[in-house]
Structure formats: structure tokens, C-alpha cells
């Protein structure tokens, strides 16, 4: 057999895979970013699909979809997913739960862990902090909205306002904590745990604790999106999400 013919046979054998390959567009909330980024390379190798992932707060991504953008897959907290389902954008069977995250505090690695086990302890910790960073509730940040509730509930809004910095995302907050810009940062457990240079202190105490379920959905019945959904619904993928800070309901 000639080398030319051999080359043509090899090329022909590759065509079906190339024809089936697709570009899969993903919207993923920051809380899921570490797990998603760890899993996407394996999906690309297994499926041949390319993945274009966008990360932001769950609220911001939800609003982009509701305004007309159409990713193949969205990974958001349950309430945001419910809004997409209500619009008829998600078919039956195209939703999977991935776990729950908690709103909590982070400090720079090596720093003493503050006590936030009770309401009084949390108040003392926040009053003692010289600089606090948290994500913007107005930008759709769940952790920021919950922290605002806690500060108001503790009655320390005036004392915190002068030393708090509001940033667009939890990721930016944690970069500031790692760099020593903030004594305390507020974010989701799954955003805090994977970040080098920071330590997860724990979740906010009752009555300010918040456990938020997250889900993966396929939009518009996208077949490439369903391939990714099935990949992210495996035991290995769930273990990866758990390692990044998600827990069971």
C-alpha cells in the first residue's frame, strides 16, 4: 500500500470525530470555577470538543442568559437555574445537582484563625479586622449579599463601612487576602479552598449561615452541552467538586 493511500485512510478515519466535535460554551459561577477548570481538559480530550468558559457571579450570568445569550451549559446556584427553567430554556432531564457551598471567611495563609463560631465571636472578629474584602451583591454575588445581611444584623454597618472594600467577584477578594490587602475576606467555600495563600476559617454562624445548592443545566437542548453535562455528572467529577469545597445537601 502506498504512503499516499495510507495517509488518506488515516485522514478518513479522523473525519467522523472532527465532524462531531463542537465548541461548547459554558457559563460558570465563580463558586464552581475551580472544579470546572480542573475537569474541562479531560472532557476536551475525551470528546474532542473545544470549551469556551466564562466565569462571573451567578447573578450576572443568569441575567446575561435572560437577556438573550445562549451558552450550551450553565453552572449556577439553584435559584438562578430555576429562573432559566421558568423561561423554558431547560428541557426535562437536562439538570444535575453538584452540591452545596457555604458563605464563609478567609484569612491569609499563616495568619491566626479568628473565632466566628457564634454571633458575638463574629462581631468581635469583624470589629477587630483592619481591612475587609467582599464581593458586590449588586453584581450578583451571593456571598456579598449574605455578608451585608450579617453586618446589618450585627448592628455594625457604620463600623465596617470605613474599612470594607467591595469588589466585583469573590476571586478578586481572595487575591487581596492572599496579598495581605485584607485581614478578612468573605466568599464561598468553593472559591476559598482552592486558592493558594489563603485559609478557609469556616462558614458564618447561625442565624447568618447560608448553604447554597448549585446545579448544571443544558440550555436549549444542546447536544454538545449534554455531552458535557454527562461528563460532569460522573462520580469522578463529583469528587473533584467535593475537593474544591462543595458538600452534599
Amino acid at each position: 500500500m502506498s504512503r499516499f493511500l495510507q495517509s488518506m485512510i488515516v485522514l478518513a478515519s479522523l473525519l467522523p470525530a472532527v465532524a462531531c466535535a463542537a465548541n461548547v460554551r459554558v457559563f460558570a459561577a465563580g463558586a464552581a470555577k475551580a472544579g470546572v477548570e480542573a475537569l474541562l481538559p479531560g472532557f476536551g480530550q475525551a470528546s474532542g470538543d473545544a470549551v469556551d468558559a466564562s466565569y462571573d457571579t451567578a447573578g450576572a450570568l443568569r441575567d446575561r442568559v435572560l437577556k438573550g445569550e445562549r451558552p450550551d451549559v450553565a453552572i449556577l446556584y439553584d435559584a438562578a437555574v430555576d429562573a432559566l427553567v421558568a423561561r423554558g430554556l431547560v428541557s426535562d432531564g437536562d439538570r444535575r445537582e453538584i452540591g452545596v457551598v457555604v458563605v464563609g471567611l478567609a484569612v491569609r495563609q499563616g495568619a491566626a484563625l479568628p473565632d466566628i463560631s457564634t454571633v458575638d465571636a463574629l462581631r468581635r472578629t469583624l470589629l477587630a479586622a483592619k481591612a475587609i474584602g467582599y464581593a458586590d451583591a449588586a453584581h450578583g454575588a451571593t456571598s456579598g449579599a449574605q455578608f451585608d445581611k450579617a453586618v446589618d444584623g450585627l448592628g455594625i454597618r457604620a463600623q465596617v463601612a470605613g474599612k470594607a472594600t467591595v469588589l466585583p467577584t469573590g476571586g478578586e477578594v481572595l487575591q487581596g487576602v492572599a496579598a495581605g490587602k485584607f485581614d478578612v475576606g468573605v466568599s464561598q467555600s468553593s472559591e476559598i479552598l482552592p486558592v493558594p495563600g489563603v485559609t478557609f476559617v469556616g462558614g458564618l454562624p447561625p442565624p447568618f449561615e447560608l448553604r447554597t445548592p448549585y446545579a448544571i443545566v443544558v440550555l436549549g437542548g444542546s447536544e454538545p452541552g449534554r455531552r458535557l453535562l454527562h461528563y460532569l455528572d460522573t462520580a469522578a467529577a463529583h469528587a473533584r467538586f467535593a475537593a474544591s469545597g462543595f458538600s452534599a445537601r
Side-chain angles (χ1 to χ4, degrees):
M1 184 181 297
S2 70
R3 182 173 298 177
F4 174 78
L5 184 56
Q6 289 176 332
S7 298
M8 291 301 292
I9 292 172
V10 170
L11 179 59
S13 70
L14 294 175
L15 285 177
V18 172
C20 291
N23 186 63
V24 187
R25 192 178 180 204
V26 178
F27 279 5
K33 182 177 181 180
V36 170
E37 286 190 331
L39 291 163
L40 288 184
F43 170 73
Q45 293 170 5
S47 68
D49 294 328
V51 181
D52 176 15
S54 296
Y55 303 99
D56 205 334
T57 67
L61 294 173
R62 172 204 60 208
D63 290 347
R64 286 172 61 182
V65 175
L66 293 177
K67 290 176 181 178
E69 292 192 59
R70 291 294 179 267
D72 298 281
V73 170
I75 305 173
L76 309 171
Y77 56 69
D78 270 6
V81 168
D82 290 343
L84 306 186
V85 172
R87 281 285 187 93
L89 300 175
V90 180
S91 301
D92 290 344
D94 281 348
R95 176 176 182 164
R96 300 288 189 279
E97 303 298 321
I98 59 174
V100 173
V101 297
V102 300
V103 175
L105 301 189
V107 296
R108 192 177 188 183
Q109 187 173 8
L113 297 185
D115 183 6
I116 61 169
S117 59
T118 66
V119 167
D120 287 341
L122 177 62
R123 180 185 290 107
R124 288 193 297 270
T125 290
L126 295 178
L127 291 176
K130 295 179 180 179
I132 300 169
Y134 68 103
D136 190 358
H139 188 62
T142 305
S143 59
Q146 191 64 17
F147 184 66
D148 280 334
K149 291 179 183 178
V151 168
D152 290 336
L154 292 169
I156 57 173
R157 171 64 63 184
Q159 296 95 316
V160 167
K163 55 186 177 182
T165 299
V166 182
L167 295 171
T169 67
E172 292 167 279
V173 170
L174 296 171
Q175 290 173 12
V177 174
K181 183 177 179 181
F182 306 125
D183 302 317
V184 172
V186 184
S187 192
Q188 303 275 21
S189 55
S190 59
E191 290 185 280
I192 298 170
L193 285 167
V195 175
V198 304
T199 300
F200 180 46
V201 178
L204 298 180
F208 306 120
E209 64 181 345
L210 181 66
R211 292 171 53 83
T212 306
Y214 273 72
I216 306 167
V217 290
V218 175
L219 296 171
S222 165
E223 286 304 325
R226 284 172 175 157
R227 288 198 291 271
L228 179 56
L229 175 72
H230 294 151
Y231 185 85
L232 296 179
D233 194 35
T234 61
H238 282 283
R240 178 64 263 178
F241 281 119
S244 72
F246 281 84
S247 62
R249 282 178 180 268

